[in-house]
Every structure is written in C-alpha cells, then in structure tokens.
Amino acid sequence: YILSNLNIQTVLLGVLVILIVYQLRNRFRYKLPPGPFGWPLIGNVEVMTAKFLHEIFVKYSKKYGPVFKVRLGPYVIVVLNDINSVTEALVKRKADFANRPNIHSVQRFTEGGKDIVFTNYSPTWKLHRKIALKALRNYLSGDHLETVLHASMDKCLPLMRKEAGPFDPEPFIDLMVFNILNAVCFGRSLDLNDKYFQRFMELDKRVNDVIGKGFVEDMLPEFVLKFWTSKKYKYTFKMIDELLDMMRNKIQEHIDEFDPDNIKDFTDAMLQAKREAELQEDKEVISQLTDVHIRQTIFDIFGAGIDTSRVTLYFAVRYIA
C-alpha cells in the first residue's frame, strides 16, 4: 500500500516537473505576446468552450492589445486582431508566416500533405503550386472562363425565373457555383436534380460544418489516434473519403479518355503536364504530379471555391432582399 502511494506520488511529481519544464522552455524559446492564462495541454478553458470565439477575442484585444496569444489544447495560437498587424504578417513578411501547423486531421484529409492549401511553404510546395498554376493558365487562356461563367448563369437563371412567388435561392446558387468549378475541373455542367451534384453539396456542407467546430483528436498525441478516435472524427472522414472517391472516379475517367490533342479542362491540363514530365524524365516534376497530388489539387479548387463563393452570394442576396 505504501509502495503504491509512493509510485503514484512519483508519477504525479514527474508529470508536474515535465509540465513546468515545458512551460519554461516555451517561455524562453519564443518571445510571445501577452495573453490569458492557459493550462498546459488543456489550454484556455474560456476559448475552448466559447460559443462565439470572435467575441472572446474582441474582449482579449481590449485587454492585451491587437496581438495576443491563446492556448488551444497543446497549441499556442497568436491572434492578429487589427489591419496593421495582419498586413505586416501576411503582406510585408508573408514568407515568414507562410507555414502551416502539423494538425492530425489536416494531414488525414490532405492524404499526407499532398495538397497546396495546407502544405508547408517550401521548394516542394512552390513547385507543386507552379505546376498547377501553369496548367490552370493554359486551360483558361483566352475567354474560356467567361464562357464557363455565362454557361452556368444561362442554366441557373431560367430555373429561378420559373419559380412562382417567394422561393429559396440557395439550391440555385449552389448549382451556379458548382457548375463553374465542375466545368473548369471536369468539363461538364450538371442539372439541379443531378444525384452527383446533390450528394457532393450535401457532403460538402456537412463536412464544413463539422470541421469548423474542430476535433478533440487534434489536441491529442498522434499515438493515441492509433487506438481511439471519436464517432465524430470517424463520421467526418467517412464523408471526406466519399468526396475523395468522387474526385478519384472523375480523374480516372479523364485518364481513360485522355487525348493530348484535345485538352478539355483543368484535369486534362494536369494530366498533360504529367505526360510531358514523364517524356522529359523530369523526376522532380513527376514527384509533384502523382495521382494523389492531382486529386488533392482539384480537391483544393472545389474546397476553396465552392464555400467561399456560395456563402458570399447567400449574404449578397439576403442583403439585397
């Protein structure tokens, strides 16, 4: 019994010493801005439990100034809360602040960091981005994008005109935005009742809603995830995997039908870039044009384009109304 108590005390003392050393190490290693108290490994309880995080940050900015730190689990987050700080960090010193934190969930849905949006700023990232932008410019040269935009509008506006009386414009806005991106990436325009379109938008909205609230798994050591993940985490990645499978199937269709003399869309342009790199035996470029890189690049376009555009248009329509 005495031995058992001694063992428990030793373990607790060891944990306490580790936490103190961890805190001191961070304090002397980094010159961090002021901020509210945060427990090691747990973080700021008020921030972790906040319903409206921006309101908490406004309160902190009045107390600590426009630049302050908070703790989210094991992560130290520096918050920039005025235009001058944001401009200095993201415009004047953009290369210094261009990296991304290593977050479990992000690594999972980017298939090991094979995307552009969430990957670290590095020579590899620069090459991947350069290849993707070149392919996009080659495809969108001339008035191609304008043609795609008009085609999407011409399909959606007549549908809205058919509505009698008040109606919800969101499905039509969803279709309009989706068809622009789908035409750019896959060369096809879909109808409002198309099952692929409906399922994609359903999954996209659910995933964004869940991801926006965060995962407890991102606050835990990586080895824990090998033994345990929450139902929310499993459910979310089941949906993300379905979205990636949809991308995978579309890309495979393009691989099967690829014609180098007829580049129909951005996916074809990426496959053309891969083919040229293989002919030139450019191993560096080939390393950034695997099927996973191509899939993640297209996933980036949909992920960055659909939600930003549709939510902005939702707001604009409500504001006009």
Side-chain angles (χ1 to χ4, degrees):
Y1 176 78
I2 295 173
L3 185 62
S4 177
N5 278 347
L6 284 173
N7 287 340
I8 293 172
Q9 290 173 2
T10 303
V11 169
L12 291 175
L13 181 61
V15 170
L16 181 62
V17 169
I18 290 170
L19 292 177
I20 291 171
V21 170
Y22 175 79
Q23 287 284 77
L24 292 173
R25 175 177 171 272
N26 283 343
R27 175 165 293 186
F28 289 110
R29 185 180 179 186
Y30 304 110
K31 187 179 179 182
L32 293 171
F37 172 78
W39 296 97
L41 302 180
I42 298 173
N44 299 94
V45 176
E46 186 177 27
V47 172
M48 299 287 284
T49 58
K51 184 177 182 181
F52 299 112
L53 192 57
H54 64 284
E55 293 180 353
I56 303 296
F57 283 173
V58 169
K59 183 179 79 172
Y60 289 164
S61 69
K62 291 176 181 177
K63 182 175 181 180
Y64 301 107
V67 180
F68 56 89
K69 74 172 188 295
V70 295
R71 290 184 180 275
L72 295 178
Y75 300 106
V76 177
I77 310 294
V78 175
V79 180
L80 309 180
N81 210 50
D82 72 337
I83 187 64
N84 293 330
S85 304
V86 172
T87 302
E88 181 182 353
L90 301 185
V91 179
K92 297 178 181 177
R93 299 175 60 188
K94 55 186 177 182
D96 294 334
F97 292 90
N99 271 0
R100 300 289 188 264
N102 185 16
I103 299 174
H104 307 316
S105 60
V106 173
Q107 285 294 308
R108 173 74 170 75
F109 72 71
T110 61
E111 300 180 270
K114 301 297 192 301
D115 67 321
I116 294 176
V117 174
F118 293 101
T119 304
N120 267 343
Y121 183 76
S122 65
T124 303
W125 174 86
K126 287 182 180 179
L127 178 61
H128 186 182
R129 182 175 178 272
K130 180 181 177 182
I131 295 166
L133 286 176
K134 183 181 178 182
L136 197 58
R137 277 195 298 267
N138 288 344
Y139 166 66
L140 293 177
S141 59
D143 60 354
H144 202 104
L145 181 59
E146 186 177 351
T147 302
V148 167
L149 286 166
H150 282 292
S152 180
M153 296 287 284
D154 290 342
K155 174 165 279 191
C156 294
L157 292 179
L159 294 174
M160 296 172 78
R161 291 193 193 102
K162 289 180 182 178
E163 295 289 333
F167 67 96
D168 180 5
E170 289 193 8
F172 303 103
I173 292 173
D174 289 347
L175 181 65
M176 198 181 300
V177 172
F178 177 88
N179 268 341
I180 291 168
L181 295 172
N182 203 57
V184 167
C185 290
F186 298 130
R188 290 192 178 97
S189 180
L190 303 180
D191 294 319
L192 190 64
N193 59 356
D194 185 273
K195 290 182 179 178
Y196 179 93
F197 158 70
Q198 291 178 347
R199 182 58 178 165
F200 188 98
M201 292 308 302
E202 179 187 4
L203 291 169
D204 178 77
K205 290 178 180 181
R206 284 186 187 175
V207 167
N208 275 283
D209 181 57
V210 176
I211 284 182
K213 295 171 184 174
F215 298 103
V216 69
E217 283 79 358
D218 289 331
M219 307 300 170
L220 302 173
E222 192 168 356
F223 73 87
V224 175
L225 305 189
K226 296 178 181 178
F227 307 103
W228 174 88
T229 51
S230 64
K231 288 183 179 179
K232 172 186 169 182
Y233 192 86
K234 292 173 183 173
Y235 171 69
T236 303
F237 281 100
K238 183 180 179 182
M239 293 189 292
I240 290 174
D241 287 342
E242 185 176 344
L243 283 170
L244 288 171
D245 280 340
M246 294 170 84
M247 299 279 115
R248 186 182 291 108
N249 292 336
K250 289 292 183 184
I251 293 168
Q252 187 59 51
E253 288 175 11
H254 279 65
I255 292 172
D256 295 339
E257 300 169 2
F258 180 70
D259 179 1
D261 297 321
N262 182 23
I263 303 302
K264 303 181 295 297
D265 47 47
F266 175 64
T267 302
D268 275 351
M270 290 287 284
L271 293 175
Q272 175 78 319
K274 181 179 181 179
R275 182 172 179 268
E276 290 173 357
E278 289 171 344
L279 291 172
Q280 296 168 8
E281 297 184 356
D282 190 334
K283 293 181 181 179
E284 188 179 18
V285 173
I286 291 171
S287 70
Q288 299 305 305
L289 281 172
T290 66
D291 290 347
V292 179
H293 283 92
I294 293 173
R295 180 167 62 249
Q296 281 293 326
T297 303
I298 293 170
F299 200 46
D300 274 347
I301 292 175
F302 275 92
I306 281 189
D307 292 292
T308 51
S309 301
R310 69 179 176 84
V311 171
T312 302
L313 288 170
Y314 290 173
F315 169 80
V317 170
R318 288 183 173 90
Y319 186 77
I320 291 168

